[in-house]
Amino acid sequence: MITWRKAGRSGGGGAGSQECVEAARLDDGVGLRDSKDPDTGHLTVSPGAFGDLLGRIRAGDLDL
């Protein structure tokens, strides 16, 4: 069974609370999907690529 997780800041009903990406550990990497439309599938990235993405987000390198 795959357990999808949303960011802790995604709740609360404020602006942008419904615009969230969910992530899950998969056998072949990390799955990413749109929480608004989870049935459309997911993107799979390597654990290293996911770690790099998180690092860039934390560093403020991306316009999010």
Side-chain angles (χ1 to χ4, degrees):
M1 180 174 153
I2 298 173
T3 303
W4 292 94
R5 297 180 60 184
K6 248 192 250 195
R9 295 184 183 186
S10 68
S17 67
Q18 299 303 315
E19 299 171 9
C20 190
V21 173
E22 295 175 317
R25 252 185 229 170
L26 305 175
D27 291 337
D28 56 346
V30 178
L32 302 171
R33 71 178 185 183
D34 183 348
S35 65
K36 296 182 310 297
D37 199 2
D39 295 328
T40 60
H42 66 272
L43 172 70
T44 303
V45 298
S46 71
F50 185 65
D52 289 345
L53 174 63
L54 292 179
R56 292 190 66 200
I57 291 169
R58 290 180 183 128
D61 292 342
L62 304 173
D63 184 22
L64 301 175

